[in-house]
Each structure stands twice: as structure tokens, then as C-alpha cells.
């Protein structure tokens, strides 16, 4: 998702983007994927070659967080691991300029908690006030939606700036309060989880479960196929956050969901999930 966000920022907002990953190999794979997406848009005449070249030139890769010492906005897109995100935001508060917006692409973790990690003094709001969530929908180059979630410390200026930039990227923002799962995953993940329970208990086969939702509610893909595209491990991580932070049994992850992750069947990215790829 980080690559998708970076590409749309360069292509639609036309701003220079510093793309940071700890792995040089991951960066190279990401940039090759960007080249592939741009070439596809050019071939379908959705984009001119000049515009594609201009966007590609705006993407500057790096493997060190110090590369973000002069940016106006950071959008973090690491996995849904609270400790990892808090560690990164603690570092960002030290590296980035004092005016930088510090945004996370988290889909379930408390923004208030992430913001608190930027300082050791709870009365000092200089960094926490600049923390916000810009939760983009996947795949980012295609989906228009983005959730804007404020933490307890987030300033109104940060909210307005984040919304304005997301609109500049061609996105349609929706605002949510800082509650486990926010809006999108609070609704979506229990739906996917229940579909998995229907499969594991034999109420229906995967094709029937996906088929009735596609053909009965006009969604583009069924819940099991969607889980494969999101990532089975990501679905499990989000369900765990919902369950742990609310204590509500309706958010308990399906047994089969845990088993899929244990087996390494993570969906499209691993070649096998509820379907084979």
C-alpha cells in the first residue's frame, strides 16, 4: 500500500515523494510495480507518456528514515503491529521538521496511542497534535475512499491539512472518530469473519458464500475473495485489535482464520488463500 500511496501522491498531487523501506529489494520491487502500473495506464490511454515519466521522476527511494528530515508530510504504511508503529512515530518526531504532518495508514490501531508515542511529556502537544490517520482503501490507485481519523491530541489544522491533501490526491475523505476499527473495518472485518465462520461450519462452500454476496448485494467481489486480496494475516491482525480493544465476543477471530495464517495461506500475496493464485 505504501507504494500505491506514493504513486498516487506523485501522479495526482504532483508532489515529490521520498519512498522509504528498510529493504532495498522491497524498494526495487515496489518501483518495478510502479513502472508496470504506469505503463498499463499509458497503454490504455488513461495517461500520457509524459505524465507517466513526470510522476516516476518524483519518486525517490531510500532505506534510511533520515531521508524524511525535510518532508512536509509522512504517510506510514507498515504492518498492523502497534509496537512497530509507535516506535516509528517516536523516531519520526525526532527526524521530521516541526511542521510536518505525521500520518498513519493504520486501519485499526488507536491514533491517540500512536500520537502519544511521539513524546515523553503528555503535556507537550507539539508532535502529538500533528499525528492523524489517513487510512487509504486498497488498491490505492483504484479506490477513491480514505478515512481521516483524529486522535485525542490531533489539532484542527492537522485535520484540515490532511483532508486537503487527500483531496489533492483525488480521494474522497470520510471522517471517523478514534474507535477500534474506525468505520471501514468496524463494518467490513466482522462481515469477512462471519463469512469465514460460515465456511468452517459448513453452512456453504466458498463459491456459494462469495456468489450470494456478489449476486445478491452487487458487491464486486465476495468476502472470501476480498480477504485474499486484503491479506489473511492483515484480516486476523485487525480482528485481534477489535477483539482485544473492545472485549466484545462478536469480534473474536474465526478459528479457520487463525489456521490459515498458521499455514502461511495469506491470500493473493502468498499464492494461496481461500483460492489459489
Amino acid at each position: 500500500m505504501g507504494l500505491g500511496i506514493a504513486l498516487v501522491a506523485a501522479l495526482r498531487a504532483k508532489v515529490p515523494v521520498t519512498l522509504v523501506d528498510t529493504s532495498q529489494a522491497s524498494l526495487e520491487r515496489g518501483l518495478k510495480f510502479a513502472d508496470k502500473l504506469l505503463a498499463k495506464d499509458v497503454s490504455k490511454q488513461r495517461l500520457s507518456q509524459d505524465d507517466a515519466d513526470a510522476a516516476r521522476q518524483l519518486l525517490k527511494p531510500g532505506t534510511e528514515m533520515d531521508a524524511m528530515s525535510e518532508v512536509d508530510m509522512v504517510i506510514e504504511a507498515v504492518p498492523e503491529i502497534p509496537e512497530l508503529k509507535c516506535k516509528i512515530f517516536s523516531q519520526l518526531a525526532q527526524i521530521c521538521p516541526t511542521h510536518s504532518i505525521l500520518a498513519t495508514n493504520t486501519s485499526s490501531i488507536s491514533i491517540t496511542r500512536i500520537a502519544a508515542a511521539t513524546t515523553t511529556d503528555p503535556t507537550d502537544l507539539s508532535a502529538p497534535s500533528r499525528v492523524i490517520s489517513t487510512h487509504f482503501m486498497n488498491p490505492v490507485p483504484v479506490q477513491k475512499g480514505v478515512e481521516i481519523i483524529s486522535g485525542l491530541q490531533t489539532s484542527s489544522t492537522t485535520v484540515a491539512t490532511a483532508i486537503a491533501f487527500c483531496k489533492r490526491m483525488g480521494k474522497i475523505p470520510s471522517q471517523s472518530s478514534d474507535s477500534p476499527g474506525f468505520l471501514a473495518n468496524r463494518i467490513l472485518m466482522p462481515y469477512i469473519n462471519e463469512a469465514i465462520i460460515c465456511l468452517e461450519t459448513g453452512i456453504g462452500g466458498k463459491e456459494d458464500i462469495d456468489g450470494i454476496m456478489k449476486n445478491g448485494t452487487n458487491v464486486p467481489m465476495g468476502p472470501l475473495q476480498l480477504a485474499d486480496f486484503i491479506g489473511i494475516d492483515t484480516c486476523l491482525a485487525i480482528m485481534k485489535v477489535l477483539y482485544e480493544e473492545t472485549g466484545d465476543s462478536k469480534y473474536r477471530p474465526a478459528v479457520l482464520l487463525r489456521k490459515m495464517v498458521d499455514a502461511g495461506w495469506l491470500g493473493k500475496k502468498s499464492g494461496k488463500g481461500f483460492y489459489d493464485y
Side-chain angles (χ1 to χ4, degrees):
M1 286 192 74
L3 183 279
I5 294 167
L7 182 58
V8 173
L11 186 60
R12 304 300 175 198
K14 302 184 187 303
V15 296
V17 180
T18 303
L19 187 63
V20 177
D21 196 295
T22 55
S23 165
Q24 182 64 39
S26 293
L27 278 173
E28 291 172 1
R29 282 196 303 271
L31 291 171
K32 285 181 181 178
F33 185 53
D35 291 337
K36 182 179 178 181
L37 291 176
L38 290 170
K40 182 178 179 182
D41 281 349
V42 170
S43 69
K44 293 192 173 184
Q45 298 184 329
R46 292 195 291 248
L47 190 67
S48 71
Q49 187 62 58
D50 286 346
D51 285 342
D53 292 341
R56 183 62 178 81
Q57 288 298 313
L58 289 171
L59 296 177
K60 304 298 182 185
T63 56
E64 300 295 333
M65 287 184 68
D66 287 345
M68 291 180 282
S69 62
E70 297 182 358
V71 301
D72 296 310
M73 183 172 184
V74 174
I75 303 177
E76 161 273 317
V78 303
E80 291 291 276
I81 303 170
E83 295 76 15
L84 176 60
K85 289 185 184 286
C86 287
K87 178 182 177 182
I88 287 173
F89 273 77
S90 175
Q91 294 172 320
L92 290 174
Q94 301 299 316
I95 294 170
C96 299
T98 55
H99 70 274
S100 297
I101 301 295
L102 306 178
T104 173
N105 187 49
T106 184
S107 57
S108 60
I109 299 167
S110 168
I111 311 308
T112 299
R113 178 180 177 183
I114 294 173
T118 62
T119 181
T120 56
D121 180 0
T123 65
D124 178 11
L125 295 180
S126 56
S129 68
R130 295 182 281 115
V131 176
I132 194 167
S133 176
T134 51
H135 174 215
F136 291 84
M137 302 296 109
N138 202 18
V140 182
V142 176
Q143 301 287 9
K144 293 288 187 182
V146 58
E147 275 186 310
I148 305 295
I149 306 107
S150 303
L152 195 61
Q153 312 94 319
T154 309
S155 72
S156 57
T157 300
T158 297
V159 175
T161 304
I163 289 174
F165 185 67
C166 288
K167 287 182 177 179
R168 186 173 168 184
M169 290 174 69
K171 302 301 180 183
I172 302 173
S174 296
Q175 288 185 256
S176 170
S177 63
D178 187 13
S179 181
F182 316 130
L183 283 176
N185 284 326
R186 190 71 169 258
I187 298 167
L188 176 64
M189 286 303 158
Y191 158 70
I192 289 176
N193 195 58
E194 192 63 32
I196 297 170
I197 292 172
C198 287
L199 179 65
E200 74 182 10
T201 56
I203 296 174
K206 60 187 178 184
E207 292 85 0
D208 295 303
I209 292 168
D210 280 352
I212 193 60
M213 297 312 298
K214 287 171 61 179
N215 302 318
T217 65
N218 205 34
V219 293
M221 65 175 68
L224 300 178
Q225 184 185 13
L226 179 57
D228 278 353
F229 275 74
I230 293 171
I232 307 297
D233 53 339
T234 300
C235 292
L236 177 59
I238 295 169
M239 287 303 299
K240 282 181 175 179
V241 170
L242 287 171
Y243 185 42
E244 290 166 5
E245 293 196 8
T246 66
D248 194 327
S249 61
K250 72 179 179 181
Y251 298 118
R252 185 171 57 241
V255 173
L256 180 57
L257 179 57
R258 293 179 184 273
K259 286 183 178 178
M260 298 279 283
V261 173
D262 288 343
W265 298 352
L266 307 182
K268 189 174 186 294
K269 62 186 174 185
S270 69
K272 185 174 181 59
F274 293 105
Y275 298 90
D276 295 330
Y277 299 90

